[in-house]
Amino acid sequence: MLELTINGKPVSAPEGVTLLQCAKLAGVKIPTLCSLPGIHTNGSCRICVVEVEGQKNLMASCIVKAQNGMVVKTNSERVRKARKILYDLVISSHPKDCMSCGRNQSCELQELGYTLDISTARIPNKSTRAPIDISPAITRDPSKCILCRRCVTACNDIQGVGAIGSQNRGFETTISPAMDLPLLGVNCAMCGQCSAVCPTGAIVETDHIGRVWAALSNPSKRVAVQVAPAVRAALGEEFGMEAGTRVTGRLASALRELGFDDVFDTNFAADLTIMEEGAELLRRLQAALTGEGAVLPMLTSCSPGWIKHIEHAFPGQLDHLSTCKSPHMMLGALIKSCYAEKLGAEAKDFFVVSVMPCTAKKYEIQRPEMQNNGYPNVDAVITTRELGRMIKSAGIDFAGLQESDFDAPLGFSTGAADIFGVTGGVMEAALRTVYELATGRELPSDNLHLTPIMGLDSIKEAALKFEDVKPEYGFLEGVTARVAVASGLKNADVLMHQVEDGASPYHFIEIMGCPSGCINGGGQPRMAGKPEDYKVRRMKAIYAEDESKALRKSHENPDVLALYKDYLGEPGGHVSHRLLHTTYTERGNFNELIAT
Amino acid sequence: MKTTVNHVSGCTGTEEELLQRVRQLASGYKDKEGSLIQVLHMVQSVYGYLPLTVQQIVAEELGLPLSTVAGVVSFYSFFATTPRGRHTIRVCMGTACYVRGGVSIVESLEKQLGIQAGGTTADGVFTFEIARCIGSCGLAPAMTIDDTVYPEVKAADLPSILEPWYCGGK
Amino acid sequence: MRNAIIKSPSDLAALRDAIRTQASTYKFTVYICGGAGCVSSRCDKVAEALRAAVDSAGLSNDVRLVVTGCIGLCAHGPCMVVDPDGVFYGDLTPEKAWSIADRHLRGGELVQELCYFDTDRGEYLPYMKDIGFFSEQVKIALRNCGRVDFSSLEDVVAHDGYFALAKVLTDLGRERTAQELIDAGLRGRGGAGFPTGVKWQSGMNQPGDQKYIICNADEGDPGAFMDRSVLEGDPHSVIEALAIGGYVIGANKGYVYVRAEYPLAVDRLGKALDDARAAGLLGSDILGAGFDFDIEIRIGAGAFVCGEETALINSIEGKRGEPRQKPPFPFQSGLWGCPTIINNVETLANVPAIILNGAGWFASYGVGKSRGTKVFALAGDIVNSGIIEIPMGMTLRTIIFGMGGGMKGGRAFKAVQSGGPSGGCLTVAHLDVSVDYESLSAMGAIMGSGGLIAMDENTCLVDTARFFMEFVQDESCGHCVPCRSGTKRMLELLLKITSGRGAPEDLEELQELAVIVGQTAMCGLGQTAPNPVLTTLRYFKDEYLAHVVDKQCPAHVCKALRIYAIDPDKCRGCAACAAKCPAGAISGVIRQPHSINTDKCVKCGVCSDACKFDAVVC
Ligand SMILES: Cc1cc2nc3c(=O)[nH]c(=O)nc-3n(C[C@H](O)[C@H](O)[C@H](O)COP(=O)(O)O)c2cc1C
Ligand code: SF4
Ligand code: SF4
Ligand code: SF4
Ligand code: SF4
Ligand code: SF4
Ligand code: SF4
Ligand code: SF4
Ligand code: SF4
Ligand code: FES
Ligand code: FES
Ligand code: FES
């Protein structure tokens, strides 16, 4: 233990902590701007400076380690003055557009101004209006960038993509793709992890709220909405609720209040995905095990961030991907076909909105592959954060809402669908079904969970032996299926290099583009200021949803079964193929497809 | 048709040949961590400058993100992303040279070459840059053309200093 | 003996003796400066001519010609020294070389009129020992510069090169070598002045299988060219010292990070490395002592901040040269995360001499905690610009007036800038202060790497502060807010002041910003960037006030503050100026003195250029 003095009070702290952490232990909050604990610390803003006795200069507490005997002042006049001047310097090149900025009231820079009690900006505004780069999923406004480089850490160190980085030097430094290319012109996965960490309005999701309001007020459109599993485990945070609060029922009610005509659940399509993907896996396994040959391991395809990444980074490996569309695309396709037909309407009458933890889905919906009969399967994607803003702007008292259910017929789901929201969930859901289909028995595990692939580790693996299988699955007898799960693109790369080298020991791999999966998606409530275990809390909420359901296996979803009976035929059948499956595009490492 | 390119101070060859050479050079450093700057130096001496295509080849061969390569290229003032003149004039504006009248050299050159510091003459002969000390401070103000150092330069000497370089030699 | 492979200390000694014997057969040794300064004034032509003259006079067996590194008095380059008597000839041309060969080398006569002319004394001073520039110097780091054929490993060995390495490997060992440096009181010459022996000890005691030693040859301070002189004039000393350091800390790999602006240094160092390798002085089992060590050159790419040690490490790793937060210090986690020791060129150049001559000898020079000598680059408005090495503790006055010969053109001394963009500007009042680490920082300047720029009365210190701010603003890496934006805003304030738009409040603002930037920046660049502003504000406040209150630039440097006027005594009334004035500000009757209407004048200076009679004053 270290003993030091902070603001005159003695503090003990464990070896290795920073002065910032140390102060926190002492109940002292030091203002910060660039650092994001647990993710990123680079000492660049210097807002967190403190006075350390015997040191000539002020020290950045977020990065300087505590040492025995240090005498620290976090709030002296000298420190306060320095912080104010530093803040003044930061905003001297900032547009100060708070009132018309998407981050108004959710901006760390703005909040810091309040914390530091800033009432004058002495340095006249010298903001340089760099051009705004709007890609289908991500909008970058470099003039609002404070160069904290959290996004660089997210994109390079966490995701391993490196679409953006520091460019130029000194005052000219910017964070952007190479040579000022637009994001769409490079290998950006559109995962939005950068937008989830950015403290300001410099990187945000590309706004779809406008088009949703427009559709809602368009009398000739029937507006259907669907919600991804991870949203219900996080939306509450936008209303000040604790991380991990489950708000499924209130969410459905809020959507109704907003005026959506159909309030569906992407979960339904998650169950459907398991049916399709499960069938595809069994087909591939059969072909492989009977010597016919098939591309293995099969890779999941429900994360569009991951899809865009593999198209850039491993264009030669696209055959490994399941051909299933992501669940919300499946649901969109069904709404505009099967459901529309049922109502005697047409695809053009519908406007489908997906509420997603995800920014990549904004990109996904405009892919040419994601259309049927000339209509996009989904028309708008709003992130969890955007939905929060819509609810607020509609004047809905979210906390006070009554709970309600999603609409039939595309709103019912099993517990297997809920866990799509967390890393390992798709795999577990798939195995619950595949194992039972093949053996007639439930997945032999604790409460249907496959513990080795639960939790937030970046790469997980499991093995499952098939014995006493049903006669039609004889090819599986005695086979040990080996599966792996990775979340976060950098971790995906680890497994993909094995695949590329032909050295992958697995049959089936689940990959989620965002670290920990959709609970931590690029469109989820931002992590700044959240408790350190916010991801664990959201994960627990997801598993609680699953466990609270009567049905927890996709193949038991009666509405899904009915859909097959009435409309689709069988998993992997002709209609499914047309509506629920897709193809991929080799983009190349530098997105050579886009001429820039 | 074969185009002969010489992106100045670079080598001569067809576009394809130069890019091929760039690729060869870079691929020799595939597994040598930390070679990026050295590779960029070499590649720039082959291709003359470092446009996007060249940066992409380097990124690919070294297994680095393009944004990282571009980040390094744009950090260091020796790397250029636009074609350069056949010869590079660097006028020192380090302290010693500033004190000894470097400004007037810069101003005269701007007039004579008809370009601002940082630019390249229309005939492609000179790229004109400001240097921050070239280590000849004892003989300030100093300037260099390529690797030749000119000590104690006077504005009046400039025409005779530049003259020989127009016909390639010194 | 040529191209010998040196496998043991006795091989080394045998080589030295052989070469010395050979050298002793000559009557004269002529050291021709091949330093970068003299190269730029075409010393190659002089050397060629001398060689031809010596040959044609049939003196080849009497005269040994040695092309050396910088002799020091670059202002008089190309130059040379003739031994045994130490006669200095400067400002040479091929013709002069012929006459020296003829009269001195053949005839044994001093060529008076080509010797150094001391303007103060009004006489020629042929012998180096009489010339103020040389006589006060003590050459330790520069012991071989100007004395040794840098391109010949044999000549280096003949001057005791690599004997310190042999001593360390076979006799002193690690601990005692580090202790020797501590006892000598050697401190880093790269700027921070950290005790070198202590640094090496930390490197030695740091656990780790892989360690590195780096020579910092980035020398980005404008106005400083000491390290360049060492690298070009005595590369083997740096190699030897790196090997010693590598042995002490337990590194088998060294790097020399040289700035790209120094191609000559890179060439010479590269050749020296090849020679050392070929001779077995680098590579495996050096001098039979079981020590493996090799060195690689890394070339910078134009970024001043890469002289900062952590930025330098990033640059060697092929990254953007942004500094890293310290701690951890490089000795804990440096290159590729391994323990790394970084030393400046000059620091290293001192090491072999200390090892061979002992700590006590080195420590006998200097004052207080500043022991030994320091190399300075004299530049600016000084007569004898060049390189000097002096014991620390000498006064600025001795340096600038004694050795430097005072200001050019007899103008008055106004300020001296020490320590480059991180340093400060000192005034006449500081001339008698001792030059050492402590005294300089007490005055707000720093020793820095050793650039001393003298400025005469025609210098505007506000403009100088602006100049430095522009420099750091250009060279800031952009990582941290105070330096990235703070220096930008400081520069804007200085531009405002020098362009005549300043107000007294701006000075307070400037001061306040300067203090905060210095206290909060992440690395040394930003922490010291305000020094030129702070020292000029402190010592030249009047000059600032003249700019903001009287709207005048007393030194007539700041264009916007110049007041153009016509001296009626000089004006012939030719009207040339009036014809060219773009503002129509000049009026007058032909053949009568003209005058300028200050309200109309846009301060373009055209009139001053147009006047053939120097009548326009500003
Ligand atoms: C902005 C900046 C530039 C520097 N430039 C140099 C340089 O060019 N050469 C050098 O030796 N040290 C330079 N230093 C100092 C180095 O960081 C480091 O302290 C030094 O190389 C250590 O060697 P020494 O202990 O032998 O002095 C610089 C420091 C800063 C902050
Ligand atoms: S990013 Fe923040 S501080 Fe900047 S304009 Fe938007 S809300 Fe205001
Ligand atoms: S915070 Fe101030 S500037 Fe912003 S809207 Fe309110 S009164 Fe206006
Ligand atoms: S969206 Fe993802 S891949 Fe694209 S820049 Fe942001 S973090 Fe990088
Ligand atoms: S874009 Fe946002 S996260 Fe990235 S550096 Fe700028 S402010 Fe920070
Ligand atoms: S993990 Fe989820 S949030 Fe992230 S890109 Fe994939 S689908 Fe979107
Ligand atoms: S002080 Fe300047 S050079 Fe140093 S890290 Fe900060 S911005 Fe970069
Ligand atoms: S400085 Fe220019 S504007 Fe002023 S008087 Fe002279 S020529 Fe005219
Ligand atoms: S050019 Fe000179 S001499 Fe002629 S009128 Fe003007 S000031 Fe007088
Ligand atoms: S929060 Fe510590 S430097 Fe930014
Ligand atoms: S300042 Fe110009 S060469 Fe050094
Ligand atoms: S370079 Fe010749 S004396 Fe300095």
Side-chain angles (χ1 to χ4, degrees), chain B residues 33-34 36-38 41 71-72 74-79 93-96 98-100 107 132-139 147 149 151-152, chain C residues 37 40 74 222-223 225 228 259-260 298-302 315-321 336 380-381 385 408 453 463 466-468 471 474 559:
Chain B
E33 219 190 329
L36 178 56
I37 293 173
Q38 310 305 306
H41 270 306
V72 167
S74 59
F75 186 90
Y76 294 99
S77 55
F78 263 60
F79 298 134
M93 282 281 269
T95 325
Y98 181 77
V99 166
R100 304 283 314 142
E107 284 171 355
R132 293 299 195 178
C133 192
I134 50 181
S136 300
C137 334
L139 301 167
D147 281 350
V149 181
E152 300 186 305
Chain C
S40 70
C74 314
F225 49 109
R228 162 179 208 161
R259 64 201 300 245
R298 286 301 172 102
I299 301 172
S315 189
I316 292 186
E317 291 182 6
K319 302 181 184 144
R320 293 163 60 82
W336 318 116
D381 298 319
S385 54
K408 275 196 177 162
I453 313 244
D463 179 64
R466 177 205 55 78
F467 168 82
F468 280 112
F471 179 88
D474 251 19
K559 270 198 182 136

Side-chain angles (χ1 to χ4, degrees), chain A residues 15-199:
Chain A
E15 206 85 41
V17 298
T18 62
L19 284 176
L20 181 68
Q21 290 167 318
C22 207
K24 200 171 164 194
L25 291 174
V28 174
K29 188 167 185 273
I30 299 174
T32 58
L33 181 57
C34 65
S35 93
L36 189 57
I39 305 260
H40 169 88
T41 305
N42 73 349
S44 63
C45 76
R46 317 305 282 182
I47 289 288
C48 66
V49 286
V50 296
E51 210 175 320
V52 177
E53 213 172 83
Q55 295 288 333
K56 189 168 117 249
N57 292 335
L58 298 173
M59 309 195 92
S61 61
C62 68
I63 201 166
V64 170
K65 296 266 189 313
Q67 279 169 29
N68 222 1
M70 270 183 169
V71 179
V72 181
K73 284 189 209 148
T74 69
N75 194 32
S76 63
E77 183 51 28
R78 188 169 154 223
V79 165
R80 296 177 63 86
K81 185 169 160 194
R83 286 193 191 132
K84 283 195 173 193
I85 290 185
L86 288 167
Y87 186 81
D88 216 1
L89 287 171
V90 174
I91 62 169
S92 69
S93 45
H94 195 87
K96 307 188 193 79
D97 284 344
C98 302
M99 286 173 289
S100 53
C101 176
R103 292 298 300 266
N104 194 3
Q105 301 285 301
S106 69
C107 172
E108 294 176 50
L109 178 61
Q110 192 189 43
E111 193 184 333
L112 182 64
Y114 173 76
T115 308
L116 297 179
D117 190 21
I118 300 293
S119 51
T120 46
R122 291 184 313 173
I123 303 169
N125 202 345
K126 300 267 165 84
S127 119
T128 37
R129 290 280 178 177
I132 296 178
D133 169 22
I134 304 179
S135 78
I138 303 291
T139 296
R140 297 189 313 116
D141 181 350
S143 65
K144 288 180 184 159
C145 173
I146 55 154
L147 296 172
C148 67
R149 302 178 201 209
R150 290 179 186 179
C151 57
V152 180
T153 299
C155 189
N156 288 257
D157 302 347
I158 298 177
Q159 291 294 60
V161 173
I164 49 175
S166 311
Q167 309 295 325
N168 307 318
R169 167 171 97 193
F171 194 74
E172 310 299 322
T173 307
T174 53
I175 307 300
S176 84
M179 308 271 296
D180 286 329
L181 289 169
L183 264 187
L184 191 58
V186 297
N187 60 334
C188 169
M190 306 281 163
C191 69
Q193 285 299 312
C194 49
S195 75
V197 294
C198 181

Side-chain angles (χ1 to χ4, degrees), chain C residues 177-190:
Chain C
T177 303
Q179 192 56 49
E180 194 74 7
L181 296 184
I182 294 175
D183 295 345
L186 176 64
R187 292 169 66 178
R189 304 298 196 229

Side-chain angles (χ1 to χ4, degrees), chain C residues 77 88 185 187 223 265 315 346 364 414 421 461 488 495 505 544 565:
Chain C
F88 176 85
R187 292 169 66 178
S315 189
E346 184 189 334
S364 71
K414 180 160 182 183
L461 269 299
K488 174 87 176 170
L495 282 168
E505 307 85 81
Y544 277 92

Side-chain angles (χ1 to χ4, degrees), chain B residues 98-121:
Chain B
Y98 181 77
V99 166
R100 304 283 314 142
V103 188
S104 71
I105 307 297
V106 172
E107 284 171 355
S108 309
L109 265 178
E110 285 182 341
K111 257 187 219 154
Q112 271 176 53
L113 299 173
I115 49 169
Q116 296 289 300
T120 297
T121 52

